Structures are given as C-alpha cells and as structure tokens.
Amino acid sequence: MNLYLTFGTTDYLQKVVDEHNGQELRLLEEDSDKAILLHETEEERFFHEGHEYEVLDSVGSLQNGTFAVLNNIPVSDEGRSLFEHRFSKRAGLIESEPGFGAIRVLRPLDTDTYVILTLWNSEKDFSNWQSSNAYGQAHKKRGTSEGIDQQENIFPRPSYVTSYHAVN
C-alpha cells in the first residue's frame, strides 16, 4: 500500500477531488493557501505531483477524524533501518486514546523525510494525547541514552510538525 501527499491551495486540490469522485481521497487544509491531499492506494498514482510513501504501519481509516498531525522526520540513509525497527516495535498505545482516528507510518520513496500521520476527532483530542500517561510511556526513551534521538548520524536535520483540518 502506498500513500501520496500532494500540496497546493484548497481550491486547486478540491478540483482534483471533484475530478476523481469515488476515489479514496482526503483533503486537509492548514488555511486556504496551504492544503494537502491524501491518496492511499495499491494502484498506480493518478496525480503525479507531491510525494510518494510506502505505508509501513496502518491503523484506522483516513476518513476518520477532522484534525491531522504530520510529524515529518528526516532520516539519513544509514539511519533508516534503525528508525524503521524502532517504529516496528512501537507500543501501540495511541490507538486506545479517546478521539484517535488513524495512524500511518510512512516511508519516503522520493525524499529522506518519513511522516508519522495521525488523525484525530479534534485538536483537543490530540492535545489530550500529548499530555497523557500513554504518550509519556510511548516516548519514555526520548532524551535518554536508549532513545533513538541520541544516536549519531540518524537525523540530518530537525524534525517538524504540520497540522491540518479536514475539508471533506
């Protein structure tokens, strides 16, 4: 399964959604000038702009939730196997959180930046997850000698988070 992320204005991407009625598409926007179109499929991509990712882990439907958070994590070539191994062993605690809709762990096919995409029923649900005991447990190694963030040569530059609200 692959997931395609295409960036543009809400108006432009809404036209793409309208042209491909019936496809599994999800349009999310940060504001009217910055939106993202999600297309998850096993078939050939129909929209040739944007980035392609292989789905490494998938829980829930991309149609769930109205608030999306994308944790964008640049990973060096030599760090990919360790990074993927750590995510393959993730605790899976997020799935039990109130307001959780979906998660995708995405391996980049045309960049060095992995994406951890989560969908929530609301921005408040995401904030509650970040302050929960489950979040603390899931990230308990961060900043310690066991944490992947302390390994050398894995992250060529800082990660960053983007968030979007559902349009459709």
Side-chain angles (χ1 to χ4, degrees):
M1 178 77 63
N2 286 350
L3 189 132
Y4 303 94
L5 303 178
T6 304
F7 301 88
T9 66
T10 302
D11 288 343
Y12 174 68
L13 293 177
Q14 185 62 58
K15 289 177 186 174
V16 173
V17 171
D18 294 344
E19 289 171 9
H20 294 88
N21 191 16
Q23 294 280 336
E24 289 294 320
L25 302 173
R26 188 75 194 265
L27 181 59
L28 307 164
E29 72 177 354
E30 185 174 59
D31 57 49
S32 61
D33 291 329
K34 187 175 181 185
I36 187 171
L37 181 64
L38 308 177
H39 178 219
E40 189 172 45
T41 183
E42 292 182 17
E43 299 172 12
E44 186 71 24
R45 74 198 282 181
F46 64 84
F47 199 64
H48 296 287
E49 297 177 25
H51 298 291
E52 180 177 7
Y53 297 85
E54 180 180 353
V55 177
L56 298 179
D57 189 9
S58 172
V59 175
S61 168
L62 290 181
Q63 301 306 313
N64 293 342
T66 62
F67 183 69
V69 178
L70 286 77
N71 191 355
N72 302 271
I73 308 169
V75 178
S76 66
D77 286 341
E78 54 273 5
R80 283 178 167 245
S81 61
L82 177 59
F83 182 83
E84 289 180 17
H85 175 74
R86 289 287 177 100
F87 264 96
S88 73
K89 302 292 183 196
R90 70 182 186 85
L93 300 173
I94 194 170
E95 290 94 326
S96 300
E97 285 299 300
F100 169 81
I103 185 170
R104 297 294 184 275
V105 177
L106 305 172
R107 174 194 290 145
L109 298 181
D110 55 9
T111 71
D112 69 347
T113 304
Y114 285 73
V115 174
I116 312 306
L117 164 67
T118 56
L119 285 159
W120 299 89
N121 288 340
S122 69
E123 193 168 349
K124 178 76 171 146
D125 289 326
F126 173 71
S127 294
N128 289 342
W129 153 246
Q130 286 187 302
S131 61
S132 72
N133 289 334
Y135 182 90
Q137 184 69 20
H139 297 90
K140 68 182 178 186
K141 293 182 181 178
R142 181 185 290 165
T144 71
S145 60
E146 295 179 63
I148 193 171
D149 61 322
Q150 301 301 306
Q151 306 294 318
E152 290 187 33
N153 302 321
I154 291 183
F155 305 110
R157 49 192 187 285
S159 63
Y160 60 96
V161 174
T162 54
S163 60
Y164 299 85
H165 293 273
V167 174
N168 61 353

